[in-house]
């Protein structure tokens, strides 16, 4: 507790803390002056008395937990107005009540304070032992706090973040980030594996093809079999040959730990929704002279899908979901052809767009739109065509990227109509990024024709792969 309070009442890591002070506490506004840490001759706050008062129930509690400090920051959007101390005090009280650690009107609840050291946010600090000696276990406090935040946004007329929709993929943990930094990795393994799995899924016609493609890229694959029927495969996990635990075991990631739509049942559903497959389980590779034609055909297919999304503002959920999923596959294959395995700005835009396409709670479309199968077919053809090798290829690919930006714009409108604000924001961001990629690459192409800069995203076979920025 002492260390946390010293940080909150201190200058911050970059002198960003301005006028740190209490705005609320468990004992009510009348006691704030007596709880406020005094300032010493050096200008530093003496937090010892406040820390002692907060920890009193812990020292007197019955079997208190080893980790008893609860800490949450509540921050406004950059576009929100500046709230007063009394408004932040009300928000803090609503938060601790919503998560269940200090219900309204409970005199024996935990002790807590709210510290403000900036215009746009507060920190709520509490100890998890009630004043009657019982320990509080804050179950599902994150979800409860987010629900309370959505309510407070409406009550105060603040920026609407939107309800939790369970469509985001899991972010790398702090431990994963620190480990990757120590090992000097250019990319966190979870992120790299998600990109490899998504590219393989977008290029595959079925399960065997998917697994073979993963293994061909050097990804380790482990299948999970049913406990009741050992011959039935129910899932998979992937890992990297050089990514191990402290005991030397491979670190495995199941498909669902990479993204909600990368579980094996989800992938099977998407493969089954496509058109008929090649009898030998492969897609015929377009020749180099036909590669640009492949992109042009994909552009026409994407244009029809964009028009369908624009002309159906009500948005049949199955049609929207299947078209969005298929467009994400097409964009993933295009990004791989444009930038290669190392990725770049187009690959990042593909990741952003992917968030906008997912259905809440992993719901699968029951009746996919016919155009979804056509989009997936073009995704496989582009994956089979390989990297871009000429200006004609690049020009055709840029037209496809612009059509995909139209799909992203139309999908954003539909997500807003569905009140799925996180996904609407992701779709808008993806559309902007796609247009930026197309504009930058077109400028580079023009420069290449004028002889001033190298052509973008082109290389001869055998040359090292580059990144378009």
């Amino acid at each position: 507790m002492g260390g946390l309070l010293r940080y909150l009442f201190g200058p911050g890591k970059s002198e960003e803390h301005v006028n740190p002070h209490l705005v609320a506490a468990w004992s009510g506004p009348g006691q704030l002056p007596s709880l406020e840490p005094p300032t010493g001759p050096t200008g530093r706050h003496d937090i010892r008395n406040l820390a002692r008062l907060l920890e009193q129930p812990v020292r007197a509690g019955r079997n208190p937990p080893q980790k008893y400090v609860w800490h949450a920051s509540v921050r406004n959007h950059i576009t929100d107005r500046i709230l007063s101390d009394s408004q932040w005090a009300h928000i803090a009280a609503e938060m601790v009540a919503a998560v269940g650690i200090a219900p309204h009107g409970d005199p024996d609840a935990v002790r807590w304070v709210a510290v403000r050291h900036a215009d746009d946010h507060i920190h709520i600090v509490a100890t998890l032992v009630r004043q009657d000696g019982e320990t509080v276990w804050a179950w599902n406090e994150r979800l409860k706090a987010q629900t309370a935040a959505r309510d407070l946004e409406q009550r105060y007329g603040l920026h609407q973040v939107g309800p939790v929709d369970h469509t985001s993929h899991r972010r790398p943990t702090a431990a994963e980030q620190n480990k990757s930094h120590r090992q000097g990795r250019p990319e966190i393994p979870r992120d790299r594996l998600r990109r490899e799995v998504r590219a393989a899924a977008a290029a595959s016609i079925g399960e065997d093809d998917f697994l073979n493609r993963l293994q061909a890229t050097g990804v380790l694959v482990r299948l999970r079999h049913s406990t009741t029927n050992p011959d039935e495969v129910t899932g998979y996990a992937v890992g990297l040959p050089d990514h191990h635990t402290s005991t030397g075991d491979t670190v495995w990631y199941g498909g669902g730990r990479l993204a909600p739509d990368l579980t094996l049942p989800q992938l099977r559903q998407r493969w089954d929704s496509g058109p008929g497959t090649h009898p030998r389980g492969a897609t015929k590779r377009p020749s180099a002279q036909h590669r640009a034609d492949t992109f042009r055909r994909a552009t026409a297919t994407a244009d029809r899908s964009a028009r369908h999304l624009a002309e159906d503002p009500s948005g049949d959920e199955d049609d929207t979901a299947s078209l969005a999923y298929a467009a994400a596959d097409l964009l993933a294959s295009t990004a791989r052809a444009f930038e290669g395995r190392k990725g770049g700005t187009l690959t990042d835009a593909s990741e952003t767009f992917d968030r906008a396409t997912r259905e809440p709670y992993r719901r699968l479309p029951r009746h996919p739109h016919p155009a979804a199968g056509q989009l997936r077919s073009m995704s496989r053809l582009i994956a089979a065509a390989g990297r871009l090798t000429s200006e004609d290829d690049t020009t055709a690919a840029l037209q496809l990227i612009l059509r995909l930006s139209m799909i992203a714009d139309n999908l954003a409108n539909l997500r807003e109509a569905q009140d799925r604000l996180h996904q609407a924001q992701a779709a808008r961001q993806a559309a902007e990024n796609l247009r930026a990629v197309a504009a930058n690459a077109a400028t580079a192409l023009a420069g290449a024709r004028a002889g001033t800069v190298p052509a973008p995203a082109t290389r001869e076979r055998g040359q090292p792969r580059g990144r378009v920025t």
Side-chain angles (χ1 to χ4, degrees):
M1 178 60 71
L4 176 57
L5 290 177
R6 273 190 291 273
Y7 168 74
L8 296 179
F9 281 93
K13 295 180 179 178
S14 303
E15 303 289 333
E16 72 275 17
H17 295 176
V18 179
N19 186 27
H21 61 282
L22 296 178
V23 295
W26 77 94
S27 53
Q31 298 298 317
L32 284 183
S34 63
L35 295 176
E36 190 74 47
T39 303
T42 62
R44 299 182 62 180
H45 290 80
D46 185 352
I47 55 83
R48 289 176 294 180
N49 183 59
L50 179 58
R52 179 181 59 81
L53 291 173
L54 286 169
E55 291 178 336
Q56 275 183 351
V58 179
R59 291 194 292 269
R62 294 182 288 275
N63 193 26
Q66 183 178 6
K67 296 183 178 181
Y68 57 84
V69 178
W70 188 89
H71 172 215
S73 60
V74 188
R75 183 182 300 272
N76 274 352
H77 192 264
I78 191 173
T79 61
D80 286 333
R81 68 184 189 277
I82 297 176
L83 301 180
S84 66
D85 281 357
S86 60
Q87 289 172 321
W88 277 119
H90 174 253
I91 290 171
E94 291 297 304
M95 279 288 178
V96 293
V99 300
I101 61 175
H104 292 307
D106 185 350
D108 293 327
V110 304
R111 292 185 176 183
W112 61 274
V113 294
V115 182
R116 184 179 188 180
H117 54 211
D119 286 339
D120 63 348
H121 71 279
I122 60 171
H123 292 262
I124 305 174
V125 180
T127 49
L128 293 177
V129 178
R130 290 167 50 87
Q131 296 179 78
D132 58 11
E134 296 294 331
T135 297
V136 172
W137 302 106
W139 301 113
N140 292 324
E141 76 270 27
R142 293 191 182 192
L143 181 59
K144 293 175 183 177
Q146 289 170 342
T147 302
R150 303 297 82 80
D151 176 63
L152 288 163
E153 288 162 3
Q154 293 183 350
R155 292 161 67 179
Y156 278 90
L158 304 173
H159 175 82
Q160 299 288 301
V161 174
V164 176
D165 57 16
H166 301 280
T167 58
S168 177
H169 58 253
R170 292 191 185 185
R171 306 292 178 180
T173 64
E176 289 178 270
Q177 297 179 52
N178 292 334
K179 181 178 180 180
S180 298
H181 179 72
R182 291 195 308 271
Q183 295 177 344
R185 293 180 180 273
E187 188 175 18
I188 297 173
R190 183 193 294 269
D191 290 340
R192 176 185 168 187
L193 287 168
R194 184 176 58 255
R195 187 178 70 249
E196 294 290 356
V197 170
R198 187 167 303 288
S204 302
I205 61 174
E207 193 169 329
D208 291 341
D209 189 21
F210 168 66
L211 299 175
N212 290 336
R213 287 178 182 274
L214 281 178
Q215 292 170 341
T217 62
V219 173
L220 303 178
V221 181
R222 183 177 68 182
L223 300 180
R224 184 177 69 249
H225 294 264
S226 169
T227 56
T228 57
N229 182 6
D231 293 332
E232 179 184 358
V233 177
T234 58
Y236 72 97
V238 291
L240 297 175
D242 60 346
H243 188 212
H244 305 102
T245 65
S246 58
T247 59
D249 297 325
T250 299
V251 179
W252 296 100
Y253 295 87
R257 291 181 60 196
L258 300 177
D261 58 334
L262 293 182
T263 65
L264 192 56
Q266 289 267 349
L267 294 177
R268 284 170 173 167
Q269 173 80 8
R270 291 162 71 176
W271 291 322
D272 291 342
S273 67
T277 58
H278 191 279
R280 295 182 62 185
T283 300
K284 186 178 179 180
R285 183 184 184 93
S287 60
Q289 60 267 32
H290 293 150
R291 186 179 292 115
D293 290 336
T294 299
F295 279 100
R296 295 187 185 101
R297 290 171 55 195
T299 300
T301 303
D303 184 68
R304 290 191 293 271
S305 298
R307 293 179 185 276
H308 174 80
L309 291 175
E311 294 167 358
D312 187 13
S314 59
D316 178 272
E317 288 192 3
D318 278 356
D319 284 355
T320 300
S322 59
L323 287 172
Y325 275 136
D329 280 355
L330 180 56
L331 180 53
S333 293
T334 303
R336 180 58 63 97
F338 207 77
E339 297 174 331
R341 290 184 58 193
K342 291 185 177 181
T345 51
L346 184 58
T347 302
D348 294 340
S350 175
E351 286 268 313
T352 304
F353 180 70
D354 184 67
R355 165 73 188 276
T357 67
R358 298 172 188 151
E359 288 299 293
Y361 304 100
R362 303 184 182 183
R363 188 184 71 84
L364 296 172
R366 297 181 179 179
H367 306 289
H369 192 277
Q374 299 170 11
L375 286 171
R376 285 213 172 84
S377 177
M378 298 314 303
S379 171
R380 291 190 285 267
L381 279 173
I382 288 176
R387 291 293 304 276
L388 310 181
T389 57
S390 70
E391 290 187 13
D392 195 27
D393 292 348
T394 303
T395 301
L398 294 181
Q399 291 301 314
L400 173 58
I401 291 170
L402 289 173
R403 290 302 186 280
L404 289 170
S405 74
M406 293 171 55
I407 291 180
D409 278 328
N410 295 337
L411 182 61
N413 294 334
L414 289 170
R415 292 300 187 231
E416 288 174 352
Q418 296 168 334
D419 198 30
R420 288 155 63 171
L421 303 184
H422 295 291
Q423 292 184 294
Q425 181 181 13
R428 293 274 183 226
Q429 185 64 54
E432 293 176 7
N433 293 347
L434 290 174
R435 285 189 285 271
V437 168
N440 292 338
T443 300
L445 268 180
R449 294 190 183 104
T452 57
V453 296
T458 60
R459 67 181 181 91
E460 298 298 330
R461 291 188 180 277
Q463 290 182 342
R465 293 172 175 168
R467 171 179 287 207
V468 176
T469 58

